[in-house]
Amino acid sequence: MQAQSRVIIENVRPNLENGRYYAKGVHNDPFTVTADIFADGHDIINAHLLYMVAGKKKWLEVPFNFLGNDAWSATFILSSRHYFDYKVEAWIDYALTWHSGLIKKLEAGLQVAVELQDGLEHLRFLAKQKLDSAQKNYIKTCISLIESSKWEEASAELKNGPVEAIIRQFPEKRFKTEFDAGLQVYADREKAVFSTWYEFFPRSSSATKGVHGTFKDCEKLLPRIAEMGFDTLYFPPVHPIGYQERKGKNGSTKALSDDVGSPWAIGAPEGGHKDLLPQLGTLADFKSLINSAKELGIELAMDFALQAAPEHPYVQTHPSWFKWRSDGTVQYAENPPKKYQDILPIYFETPDHEALWEELVSIATYWVDQGIRVFRVDNPHTKPFHFWQHLIIEVKKHHNDVIFLSEAFSRPRIMEGLAKAGFTQSYSYFTWRNTKFEFIEYLTELTKTERKDYMRANFWPNTPDINPYHLQGANDTVHLIRLFLAATLSSNYGIYGPVFEQMISDAIPGKEEYLDSEKFELKHYDWAKRNRITAHITLLNQLRKENKALQRTNNIEFCAIENQQILAYFKADRHTENYILAVVNFDANNAQSGWVQLPLSQMGIAADETFTVHDLISENSYFWKGEWNFVELRPPGLPYHLFKIKKV
Amino acid sequence: MQAQSRVIIENVRPNLENGRYYAKGVHNDPFTVTADIFADGHDIINAHLLYMVAGKKKWLEVPFNFLGNDAWSATFILSSRHYFDYKVEAWIDYALTWHSGLIKKLEAGLQVAVELQDGLEHLRFLAKQKLDSAQKNYIKTCISLIESSKWEEASAELKNGPVEAIIRQFPEKRFKTEFDAGLQVYADREKAVFSTWYEFFPRSSSATKGVHGTFKDCEKLLPRIAEMGFDTLYFPPVHPIGYQERKGKNGSTKALSDDVGSPWAIGAPEGGHKDLLPQLGTLADFKSLINSAKELGIELAMDFALQAAPEHPYVQTHPSWFKWRSDGTVQYAENPPKKYQDILPIYFETPDHEALWEELVSIATYWVDQGIRVFRVDNPHTKPFHFWQHLIIEVKKHHNDVIFLSEAFSRPRIMEGLAKAGFTQSYSYFTWRNTKFEFIEYLTELTKTERKDYMRANFWPNTPDINPYHLQGANDTVHLIRLFLAATLSSNYGIYGPVFEQMISDAIPGKEEYLDSEKFELKHYDWAKRNRITAHITLLNQLRKENKALQRTNNIEFCAIENQQILAYFKADRHTENYILAVVNFDANNAQSGWVQLPLSQMGIAADETFTVHDLISENSYFWKGEWNFVELRPPGLPYHLFKIKKV
């Protein structure tokens, strides 16, 4: 920066901890950068956003637009799945300042001979640029008119001709100010922001009660998953399970001989993280499953759980990867209040950490090589942030389509820290949000603060670890409400089934834990069962696919409605003019009604114009008019509306 | 940072644009740094704030305190008037983690032989530190008890002895994380935050009507200024005034032969910025005035107005410091909508900018050498931000007591940009804030957002440039209300007199400009006049000196009161237990009342405890009890309360 640079660039956003972390975008989506840009005095300033795929040599430029109050914004399209660098340049535009002053004087009917001559330096600069022939002729004409003192003709040319556009196309950028903090954005594939997850335990997939399920059994269930509209199928770990310290039913520390143990206790004489539990099948079976799923539009998501059962091969081959106590033991893992006696934590700070980290990265790349592109990462908040940053960067170097979901239910700064470290998606507090106020507060925090630049929440009504109080013993209407909230508030959501849709909600008394949890035992389900919940799952997932507005989370806007039991929100996809109004009644037992306010101007609907709202759930249509319209929701038949809004 | 560093440090505050600008503090005041500090897992973390006077070699350390929700804070005293560097270090405290685990197991009555042996490495580390002899004996005892397997005695020592304090005193800081963004804070002298300004035109100081006032006349007025309690006397420019293009009365572009011109049109055959207007007196007279003022506790503040009348010596000696147009003229200065035909702007971007900037800095240092320590800088927003940053740093290098007041009435980002560039104080929007909502919003923005770290507002009810609508033709009660608001909301305030206290408020119709403005003509005042306003000025300035709570602005807290005409605010100085409640009625014509809520717990007053409030204005005292108490204000006699709160 030169002393003569007069423009100040501040408050550039997205900017996470001054470029320490990259922001997140989506391939083919626009990416918008805002900044405060200002200078002393009253000269005209201008600014460009410069960007390029990281590692390239040539910056591309896009002009900033003035928003008012010294704020500016610029947008470019994330045209490939890569990291993009971006920086800001701004300058006093002496040429625009000159031209604007000239026009003002002309409009005031003043003499402009001096102004015209003052402009020669700017016109001569333009004459030297790579103009097209029309531009070249025009600029030459302006110069020669001034040089021959033809003030009136010169004035007319400069007033009516394209000089301002040419100046903007070829800015002098004299004494420009640059803001370059090494900022980056990563363009993920679409699934990073729009994904629909189904989780089940592959060992419970057998059609025969008491028999350990296999990958082949799982393959038979795929049509059902696809029919319900899920695009991501997540399995708890599929690796050999430790025998020593194996957990029994309900997490008992004393396992019986036929107990199958927790799949998160990875590692046994049969192998470790790069091996499969023999009961589930072979690598060939697994790859066949991956491929069959892919044909049905489903990606298989693996669990990435970095810990070792006591017989894990690493314990023998790499004892330095564990922290040994003075009695020759390793302290088992904990995630208070939970104790994992069947698991040894990895010692990430080991002096041998380079080899350790390399091996751990190689686990991910091994499964990527087998066809996996989605990982659900177990308890990442109990492993170092820098490790995740390293792992995700390393994996993305060769496979820019890999998605990492952070399974951390922890404190806000920890959850955010993991998202900043690079996780593509994050489990969220959705599971514990219940009231209208809580949802508005939480979604506002996720979508209207800096979190929108890096954190993509995934909403789960339940998980094997969380059987929330409000679902315990709850009827199907309550389940539907939670399903609807997850599927329409957030473009990323998932359920743990068939527990969810079959309303299996028995709990350990006083806890949000499933009784007889599948985490510790084989289960047998009637996989063919259909009910009102599976019908709504199928419908909602179909509607998510058909309506672009439901494929993003950050586009949410809450609508005023004077009833604390009703939550109403609007989502828009301007490109396809897809406008959705969701209205949901938290009261599963009583009819609730109210007047809901719509942001009409965003849809280009006039205040006195009639428009239609079509309920995609009930298939009923209504004519509405004006900002405020009446809604009534009568459970159990109609706990929510999902209106598609159209101009008549 | 090492790969093994597990602690994350984020959101360190103050941090202005990642260290581009320094934060501001006050000599002898505490300076508090906050940060989000967290790590994976459940180990105990610890953190230090490191600081030193900039340029020194040795960091001093102070521990961070945990505030909750992963936020931490640390405080040190700004012990000298300098820039201080600061940075943050944080680490997993393996020793504290070990000790805390040991204590938990002991309290649960478990065996701890392994834990004790695991602790040996930490105890041996401590044994090597610079312990005092008691500490050394204690640590040696602990080690030898463990080494000789005396588990019970070792446990007792480690549970009841001072081991935790010793660990905290000598942290291992293994794999520490450092946050060092080159952050700085500047410790200004007290006057930077607590100052009481009076402005008058020295040329209007003569006792004889029609005679040009002199520095000697001004000297005679000093006792009156001191008696009213002002500590800073600001004069518009005192330099030779240009003749060519001189402005006439009311800013007319045609001056009459006896017109004195605007003092901001600096430069004439008699000299430039380092010279004095001969009619005011000699340099000796000026220095005598500075010294006499100093004896009365008043500092003289000079105007620093970087522009030149057409006859300024610079125009001849350094033509390259002005931007010449093709007709050999320089475009006169503008601050739209104002036009300054009598002033040429300096060309800061000149190729000769190094010599220019050096000369401009030398103007400031010249006057510093004559005894000036306070500058009110004219229209800084029409000169480059980088120049101000340069000037202020250069001047402070040798004179760390110099104060710069930014006279910019511009857009928010511009005003903030100047404050970040280094201005000690800033003119503010106070002059145009009128309603309760506006004051709460504005003071909240100034004192509860990042602005509190760098921007110190100065509240002026009027200036020669602003005769606000609400004072035009207003009675003394309205003037008192504006005075009270300025003097008690802000610890820095000033008035332009004797215009203010003599309620001279005739305006150019429809404008906030004084009619027959002193900017363009000599005035004659009855300097001895005393009235209700001078009495309240004297009293309020006295109360500001006596009550520490009024000597800061950022300590303000607004109190609830259900009356839109009454504003109530609380200010505390905890060190001296000085608690002030200000209550002001915006309605100058009618009595207004309401129940005001006090933050009792901050004063250590219980909910059912009786306390006294003593009105420092009326001298009345009341007994109050509980959070909510009744106030009534009856203008004109009693437009405001200034209560001092005391426990009985």
Side-chain angles (χ1 to χ4, degrees), chain A residues 348-364:
Chain A
F348 284 87
E349 298 120 298
T350 173
D352 192 30
H353 68 273
E354 286 186 24
L356 168 66
W357 290 27
E358 195 180 323
E359 169 64 18
L360 298 179
V361 170
S362 82
I363 295 171

Side-chain angles (χ1 to χ4, degrees), chain A residues 1-12 17-18 20-21 36 38-43 69-70 92 94 105 113-115 117-118 121 174-175 177 179 323-327 329 331 334-336 347-351 353 357 380-387 411-414 417 420, chain B residues 1-12 17-18 20-21 36 38-43 69-70 92 94 105 113-115 117-118 121 174-175 177 179 323-327 329 331 334-336 347-351 353 357 380-387 411-414 417 420:
Chain A
M1 179 153 341
Q2 293 169 272
Q4 294 129 300
S5 304
R6 283 170 46 200
V7 180
I8 304 292
I9 304 171
E10 289 187 356
N11 197 28
V12 175
E17 288 287 319
N18 201 43
R20 194 196 299 176
Y21 308 106
D36 293 334
F38 53 90
D40 63 282
H42 307 280
D43 291 340
N69 203 18
D70 295 310
I92 302 281
Y94 298 96
K105 293 221 165 166
V114 178
E115 281 71 17
Q117 292 168 81
D118 285 350
E121 62 166 314
R174 246 182 116 192
F175 309 136
T177 300
F179 180 90
K323 183 152 198 188
W324 298 93
R325 308 183 61 203
S326 44
D327 64 346
T329 65
Q331 176 63 47
E334 294 187 60
N335 184 21
Y347 181 35
F348 284 87
E349 298 120 298
T350 173
H353 68 273
W357 290 27
H381 59 295
T382 61
K383 291 104 191 172
F385 291 87
H386 291 149
F387 169 74
R411 308 187 302 277
R413 294 302 90 74
I414 301 282
K420 287 184 199 169
Chain B
M1 181 154 336
Q2 294 168 273
Q4 293 129 301
S5 305
R6 282 171 46 201
V7 180
I8 304 291
I9 305 172
E10 288 186 357
N11 197 27
V12 175
E17 288 288 318
N18 201 44
R20 193 196 300 175
Y21 309 106
D36 292 335
F38 53 89
D40 64 281
H42 308 280
D43 291 340
N69 203 20
D70 296 309
I92 301 283
Y94 298 97
K105 293 221 165 167
V114 178
E115 280 71 17
Q117 292 168 82
D118 286 350
E121 61 166 315
R174 245 183 117 194
F175 309 136
T177 301
F179 179 90
K323 183 152 196 187
W324 299 92
R325 310 182 63 203
S326 43
D327 64 345
T329 65
Q331 176 63 48
E334 296 186 61
N335 184 20
Y347 181 35
F348 283 87
E349 298 120 297
T350 173
H353 69 272
W357 290 27
H381 59 296
T382 61
K383 290 103 192 172
F385 291 87
H386 292 147
F387 168 73
R411 308 187 303 275
R413 296 301 91 73
I414 301 282
K420 287 184 199 167

Side-chain angles (χ1 to χ4, degrees), chain B residues 345-581:
Chain B
I346 305 278
Y347 181 35
F348 283 87
E349 298 120 297
T350 173
D352 192 31
H353 69 272
E354 286 186 24
L356 167 66
W357 290 27
E358 196 180 323
E359 169 64 18
L360 298 179
V361 170
S362 82
I363 295 171
T365 53
Y366 173 79
W367 291 112
V368 167
D369 290 341
Q370 311 313 317
I372 294 294
R373 289 294 182 275
V374 183
F375 293 98
R376 174 269 198 194
V377 178
D378 188 63
N379 277 348
H381 59 296
T382 61
K383 290 103 192 172
F385 291 87
H386 292 147
F387 168 73
W388 296 121
Q389 204 167 0
H390 172 75
L391 172 102
I392 294 169
I393 286 174
E394 287 300 308
V395 171
K396 284 195 172 172
K397 267 184 191 164
H398 304 290
H399 306 282
N400 61 10
D401 52 353
V402 178
I403 285 171
F404 294 91
L405 167 63
S406 158
E407 187 261 349
F409 292 102
S410 181
R411 308 187 303 275
R413 296 301 91 73
I414 301 282
M415 312 259 296
E416 294 157 16
L418 290 162
K420 287 184 199 167
F423 279 93
T424 324
Q425 297 183 359
S426 309
Y427 276 66
S428 67
Y429 299 146
F430 166 77
T431 321
W432 298 284
R433 292 292 176 272
N434 288 291
T435 65
K436 177 172 178 168
F437 173 80
E438 285 173 353
F439 279 110
I440 293 176
E441 184 191 45
Y442 187 48
L443 270 291
T444 301
E445 183 184 306
L446 287 173
T447 66
K448 308 300 170 205
T449 70
E450 195 182 53
R451 291 161 190 83
K452 75 180 186 308
D453 296 331
Y454 65 86
M455 196 169 192
R456 302 188 188 109
N458 198 323
F459 280 14
W460 290 70
N462 70 328
T463 78
D465 288 314
I466 314 168
N467 177 12
Y469 293 127
H470 53 250
L471 286 185
Q472 293 177 18
N475 65 16
D476 60 352
T477 304
V478 173
H479 279 76
L480 287 179
I481 291 169
R482 298 302 299 183
L483 170 75
F484 181 85
L485 287 166
T488 61
L489 284 168
S490 175
S491 49
N492 294 310
Y493 93 101
I495 57 169
Y496 158 46
V499 166
F500 180 82
E501 65 267 29
Q502 297 188 7
M503 295 185 285
I504 299 166
S505 62
D506 289 343
I508 294 176
K511 293 195 172 185
E512 294 196 307
E513 297 250 14
Y514 284 100
L515 184 66
D516 303 327
S517 168
E518 197 165 5
K519 290 193 286 184
F520 307 107
E521 58 188 273
L522 279 193
K523 291 281 173 180
H524 180 255
Y525 298 109
D526 174 3
W527 290 96
K529 197 166 168 179
R530 283 177 165 76
N531 60 16
R532 194 165 160 235
I533 300 178
T534 58
H536 275 247
I537 290 173
T538 308
L539 175 60
L540 283 169
N541 287 345
Q542 183 62 29
L543 294 174
R544 280 162 54 91
K545 282 181 190 154
E546 290 168 2
N547 291 278
K548 283 256 179 202
L550 296 174
Q551 297 173 12
R552 293 293 183 276
T553 303
N554 289 345
N555 60 350
I556 197 164
E557 282 179 57
F558 289 96
C559 303
I561 179 166
E562 287 285 339
N563 182 328
Q564 288 307 309
Q565 294 294 333
I566 301 184
L567 184 69
Y569 39 101
F570 175 78
K571 286 189 160 197
D573 179 78
R574 310 217 187 290
H575 192 64
T576 60
E577 296 189 352
N578 180 229
Y579 302 113
I580 296 290
L581 171 68

